[in-house]
Amino acid sequence: MQLHQLRYFVAVAEVRHFTQAADLVGITQPSLSKQIHALEADLGAPLFERVRGNIALTAAGEVLLPLATRILADVETATREVQELVGLRRGRVRLGATPSLATSLAPPVLRRFRDAHPTIDLRVEEGGSQDLVRDLLRGDLDLALIIMPAQGADPGLRVDPILRESLVVASVDEVPTASATGELRITDLRDLPMVMFREGYDLRDATIQACREAGFEPSFAVDGGEMDAVLSFVEAGLGIALVPGIVLARRPGVRITSLAPPGVRRTIAVARRRDVVPTHAGRELRRILLDYIQSAIDRGELPPGVEPLT
């Protein structure tokens, strides 16, 4: 079994097409097919089968795919780590962040990192926590700022909680059921149309769970938006949304209403794969992140509704 054979196998498994996979890895289709056949001979089992003209993984292929993906990610990490040490090329760090954290916490942290290490290649991916966890486990990210799921972290990850923040109600008009204190109870949202995030957003899960715990199902005016779209829909008066207060800093047309205790809170964490030794660049980015949070705590500059856990 050769590493290049595993790369070819993963490419075919991803695109489910031999010719497209050959183009992806930069070889001819006959050469790719020959290497796949050699890999199948070494393993003693077919890895692909044709189903109604489409390429599908066999049972053996399903078993091999996550193992091959992890092996290739580990080889890439090892190669990058050694190259960083001997100075063969500049390092790289791949950071994932949820949309709210990508626009609030990530920019000043990345600025500090860039100032200290201008030769390091920074790559940032924005997505929901579920998507970022998937990419971490696949080896596509080195580090991610995620929201801790209610059911706990994936055992394949090391997850360190760093901040806790409260969600607020975003609306274009004053919510008529607000109390004299200006706060809303979750039950006050029962008859209000909501603008809902797409599947995979932790804010979607947090909103639905809070409503169900209060004894009702939320009513969706619009369902399936990204962060910018949801806030634009709120500005258009289509409904309300539960969001982190920090994302509304540049939205003067959106009214912010706090939730009465206990409200809805979420835990922000920094995560990485447990079974992979982080690169020097990854460790340095994590250190700068934690230093930035501590300096914000010391200066009293954490946003309202945000409290430290470090």
Side-chain angles (χ1 to χ4, degrees):
M1 184 186 303
Q2 303 295 321
L3 285 175
H4 67 275
Q5 293 174 335
L6 293 180
R7 292 191 183 95
Y8 301 162
F9 162 71
V10 170
V12 176
E14 288 180 346
V15 301
R16 303 301 171 98
H17 195 283
F18 275 80
T19 301
Q20 292 178 10
D23 292 339
L24 189 64
V25 298
I27 64 172
T28 65
Q29 188 271 329
S31 295
L32 181 139
S33 295
K34 181 179 179 180
Q35 291 298 323
I36 295 295
H37 289 321
L39 178 59
E40 290 175 326
D42 287 341
L43 294 173
L47 300 173
F48 298 102
E49 60 183 354
R50 292 190 178 275
V51 179
R52 298 185 180 89
N54 297 318
I55 300 297
L57 287 168
T58 63
E62 294 283 1
V63 170
L64 179 61
L65 181 57
L67 298 175
T69 302
R70 178 164 298 182
I71 289 170
L72 294 174
D74 289 346
V75 169
E76 182 182 354
T77 299
T79 302
R80 188 169 66 250
E81 185 82 359
V82 172
Q83 289 176 334
E84 287 179 11
L85 285 173
V86 301
L88 294 178
R89 67 177 183 182
R90 63 183 184 180
R92 179 187 72 178
V93 61
R94 302 163 299 176
L95 174 69
T98 63
S100 60
L101 298 176
T103 58
S104 58
L105 181 57
V109 171
L110 293 179
R111 176 58 186 267
R112 287 191 176 196
F113 183 88
R114 187 68 174 172
D115 289 344
H117 306 283
T119 62
I120 300 297
D121 181 18
L122 283 171
R123 302 186 185 183
V124 179
E125 177 178 329
E126 184 179 337
S129 291
Q130 295 176 25
D131 298 329
L132 297 177
V133 166
R134 178 202 62 205
D135 291 341
L136 279 171
L137 293 171
R138 289 172 53 179
D140 294 336
L141 293 174
D142 301 306
L143 208 64
L145 293 168
I146 66 171
I147 305 303
M148 288 280 288
Q151 68 272 23
D154 189 288
L157 299 179
R158 172 178 171 177
V159 179
D160 298 313
I162 53 176
L163 295 169
R164 182 176 291 121
E165 67 178 347
S166 299
L167 301 184
V168 299
V169 176
S171 64
V172 71
D173 298 314
E174 182 177 1
V175 181
T177 51
S179 65
T181 64
E183 295 179 325
L184 283 167
R185 299 165 300 175
I186 291 295
T187 52
D188 293 329
L189 309 181
R190 181 188 302 270
D191 299 320
L192 298 179
M194 291 187 177
V195 178
M196 184 51 60
F197 295 90
R198 66 166 174 83
E199 294 282 352
Y201 262 54
D202 56 274
L203 287 169
R204 179 189 183 93
D205 296 337
T207 301
I208 293 175
Q209 179 181 351
C211 293
R212 287 176 176 171
E213 289 178 352
F216 68 96
E217 288 290 326
S219 174
F220 298 162
V222 181
D223 186 5
E226 301 277 347
M227 176 64 75
D228 285 343
V230 165
L231 295 179
S232 295
F233 294 152
V234 170
E235 287 175 321
L238 291 171
I240 66 166
L242 283 185
V243 299
I246 196 169
V247 304
L248 301 175
R250 295 184 178 89
R251 299 275 180 167
V254 175
R255 181 184 297 271
I256 301 174
T257 307
S258 299
L259 288 170
V264 180
R265 302 197 298 173
R266 64 182 196 165
T267 299
I268 299 168
V270 56
R272 65 171 176 85
R273 256 178 62 179
R274 186 180 296 277
D275 62 340
V276 173
V277 177
T279 65
H280 291 303
R283 287 196 294 269
E284 179 65 3
L285 178 58
R286 184 180 184 277
R287 183 192 67 79
I288 289 176
L289 166 68
L290 297 180
D291 284 351
Y292 171 77
I293 291 174
Q294 187 58 53
S295 65
I297 295 171
D298 295 341
R299 297 192 305 268
E301 294 180 355
L302 286 179
V306 178
E307 59 184 84
L309 296 176
T310 57

